[in-house]
Amino acid sequence: MIPAQYFRNHLNQIEAMLKKRGMEIDLSSFKELEEQRKSLQVETEGLQAKSNQLSKEVALGKQSGQDMSGLFKELGILAKDKKNKEAALKSVQDEIQNTIAAIPNLLSEQVPEGLSEVDNVIVETYGEIPSFDFQVRSHIDLFPRSLDFACAAQISGSRYVMMKGKIAKLHRALGQWMLDVHTEAGYQEVNPPLLVEPKALFGTGQLPKFKEDQFFTQSESHALIPTAEVPLTNIYRDQIVAQDKLPIKLTALTPCFRSEAGSYGKDTAGLMRLHQFEKVELVQLVDAQNAHQALDALVNDAASILTLLKLPFRKVLLCAGDTGFSSHITYDLEVWVPSENRYREISSCSYFADFQARRMKARYRDDQKKVNYLHTLNGSGLAVGRTLLAVIENYQTKEGTIIVPEVLKPYMNGLEVISDE
């Protein structure tokens, strides 16, 4: 969340940031609320000052034996008026906070201009695109039995998959192997709850803006997590940690649940965009001084999975219009998908500055005993289903089988080739 004081004093910069993001948000209501706040605050303070003065007069009058009944009555009227003004002031302040909570994070100066993914900037490309001497097939065509979308649809509806046999085993192997890579790199493994309260979603920025993307329980007291970012980052909500405990590095492999409310017509077939999928999440909580270095490290940690799998990929800096609501700056990793003859997103690594920490009141105490807001980062390390897709398609053979990547063979009991079952 943008600090209220900054918001008040930098409205022009806020409006410029929204324009850069391609968003049209009328801030005139905020300006009106701010005028009301100022007026009510002046009135409330005036009533308090008058009440204090009358109280002194009453005290002096009582000492000298004067009749203070008139002043007592006036004090009662003042107290009632002050209570009403304070209630009105709190209501306006709450509206101001709700307005600010709906405004996205400030963007880094490094974020390029642009309104959609076509304006994103390719930073670097890694690996060689594979060359096939046969007709490339999609993961759907290669494994129609092992990736059973029809069966899943009968049970759960569209955008679900039933994985079977060796492909299910390969999917499990990918997730376990990713966890091992990241824990060996210094991340602490966490097994978090999959149901969270709305305040946790507010903390990381999914609420209130993205309510339609969440799967809520009927009472809306809880929601299924859209990503492990939510429970992992919220571990430190309302906490103050010592600076010498930083950086805090966490990882988790969890199912994730998304309604994909804004993606109708996009990637309706295959593993690219499902309502339920598994993902290994990387989260870091750091101080401001080390945040940019941490972002570079986080991106490299996510990229290491693709490098070890020998999958071609590229690093992309997202433009303003494609940068997420809570993000200050985001790098995507895009993996090569042979059947589509293009790169597709497989990881999104973001630095949020203190935007999330302010919403969660997540702080640290520095060497001078000063309390500061933490700076948060997260990224996919990786989306397991999309990684499975990339492995299937990049490791396919003319015979319609796939070769198991070397790093996964120990997790597959030495299995070297997989065919549809």
Side-chain angles (χ1 to χ4, degrees):
M1 184 182 295
I2 300 172
Q5 190 65 34
Y6 184 95
F7 203 95
R8 294 186 186 106
N9 298 333
H10 298 83
L11 272 179
N12 290 338
Q13 290 93 321
I14 300 294
E15 289 175 329
M17 179 271 291
L18 293 172
K19 184 177 180 181
K20 186 176 180 180
R21 281 180 175 270
M23 301 175 69
E24 293 185 8
I25 297 178
D26 185 7
L27 294 181
S28 59
S29 61
F30 173 83
K31 296 173 185 177
E32 293 172 5
L33 288 167
E34 185 61 13
E35 289 302 315
Q36 292 178 42
R37 181 195 67 80
K38 290 178 182 177
S39 177
L40 286 166
Q41 196 158 325
V42 168
E43 291 178 37
T44 302
E45 290 170 356
L47 289 169
Q48 181 64 57
K50 190 173 181 180
S51 179
N52 292 342
Q53 181 59 38
L54 285 177
S55 295
K56 289 178 182 178
E57 292 179 20
V58 167
L60 290 172
K62 287 175 68 177
Q63 288 177 4
S64 60
Q66 299 178 44
D67 180 10
M68 295 288 105
S69 58
L71 287 181
F72 270 123
K73 185 176 180 181
E74 190 174 349
L75 273 173
I77 295 171
L78 274 174
K80 186 176 181 180
D81 195 11
K82 178 172 168 287
K83 184 177 180 181
N84 290 336
K85 292 293 183 185
E86 286 174 340
L89 177 60
K90 185 180 185 308
S91 177
V92 169
Q93 289 172 330
D94 288 345
E95 284 190 64
I96 288 173
Q97 285 300 104
N98 290 338
T99 299
I100 295 174
I103 301 298
N105 198 0
L106 298 170
L107 293 170
S108 166
E109 292 181 359
Q110 295 176 257
V111 175
E113 299 279 351
L115 298 178
S116 69
E117 61 182 25
V118 299
D119 301 309
N120 294 339
V121 176
I122 299 169
V123 178
E124 196 166 357
T125 301
Y126 306 84
E128 294 185 9
I129 293 174
S131 177
F132 299 96
D133 58 1
F134 55 88
Q135 183 63 43
V136 170
R137 299 162 69 183
S138 73
H139 62 289
I140 303 171
D141 294 332
L142 281 163
F143 289 92
R145 290 186 290 273
S146 301
L147 295 172
D148 197 336
F149 295 94
C151 177
Q154 288 180 339
I155 299 168
S156 304
S158 61
R159 295 200 177 184
Y160 293 91
V161 65
M162 187 78 71
M163 296 186 191
K164 302 174 182 177
K166 298 297 192 300
I167 286 297
K169 186 179 180 69
L170 182 61
H171 181 267
R172 173 162 57 90
L174 277 165
Q176 297 302 318
W177 169 70
M178 289 178 195
L179 272 183
D180 286 346
V181 170
H182 295 313
T183 53
E184 287 171 12
Y187 289 82
Q188 180 185 26
E189 183 177 348
V190 180
N191 189 342
L194 302 183
L195 282 166
V196 295
E197 296 179 342
K199 61 185 177 182
L201 291 164
F202 176 84
T204 46
Q206 280 79 14
L207 290 182
K209 185 174 177 60
F210 302 106
K211 183 176 182 180
E212 289 186 358
D213 287 336
Q214 315 308 321
F215 283 111
F216 281 94
T217 59
Q218 188 171 4
S219 65
E220 295 196 358
S221 64
H222 291 78
L224 288 165
I225 61 168
T227 163
E229 165 199 354
V230 178
L232 292 186
T233 313
N234 272 276
I235 290 172
Y236 294 92
R237 186 179 68 215
D238 296 322
Q239 301 291 318
I240 300 176
V241 299
Q243 189 171 15
D244 60 11
K245 300 296 183 183
L246 303 179
I248 295 167
K249 300 168 65 176
L250 308 171
T251 186
L253 167 62
T254 67
C256 304
F257 306 88
R258 297 182 186 175
S259 71
E260 300 288 355
S263 64
Y264 295 114
K266 295 180 182 179
D267 303 316
T268 54
L271 294 173
M272 188 56 68
R273 198 181 297 274
L274 299 173
H275 290 311
Q276 176 187 321
F277 57 95
E278 288 188 18
K279 182 157 66 79
V280 174
E281 190 74 4
L282 304 175
V283 166
Q284 291 199 30
L285 298 99
V286 302
D287 54 36
Q289 295 81 1
N290 294 296
H292 289 283
Q293 181 181 348
L295 177 60
D296 291 339
L298 183 77
V299 174
N300 289 336
D301 289 335
S304 70
I305 298 297
L306 295 168
T307 301
L308 291 167
L309 286 171
K310 298 181 180 178
L311 293 170
F313 68 100
R314 66 186 186 185
K315 177 181 173 182
V316 178
L317 174 60
L318 299 196
C319 71
D322 205 27
T323 300
F325 174 85
S326 300
S327 180
H328 183 57
I329 183 171
T330 296
Y331 289 97
D332 274 3
L333 298 178
E334 298 179 343
V335 70
W336 180 254
V337 178
S339 66
E340 299 183 26
N341 198 38
R342 60 170 173 157
Y343 291 94
R344 299 299 304 271
E345 178 200 336
I346 196 168
S347 175
S348 191
C349 299
S350 298
Y351 166 45
F352 305 97
D354 60 2
F355 186 83
Q356 292 180 327
R358 286 181 180 275
R359 297 167 81 98
M360 294 184 295
K361 295 182 174 59
R363 295 151 292 171
Y364 71 93
R365 182 176 283 107
D366 64 23
D367 295 338
Q368 284 71 48
K369 307 301 181 183
K370 181 182 177 183
V371 175
N372 308 277
Y373 284 102
L374 287 161
H375 282 227
T376 60
L377 310 95
N378 71 52
S380 304
L382 301 167
V384 182
R386 292 189 180 191
T387 309
L388 177 66
L389 180 163
V391 166
I392 290 172
E393 295 202 9
N394 283 279
Y395 278 85
Q396 64 180 290
T397 69
K398 188 175 182 178
E399 292 72 30
T401 60
I402 63 167
I403 299 169
V404 177
E406 283 296 324
V407 292
L408 295 179
K409 287 179 181 177
Y411 294 79
M412 296 291 291
N413 298 326
L415 188 67
E416 296 189 351
V417 177
I418 297 176
S419 58
D420 199 17
E421 298 177 348

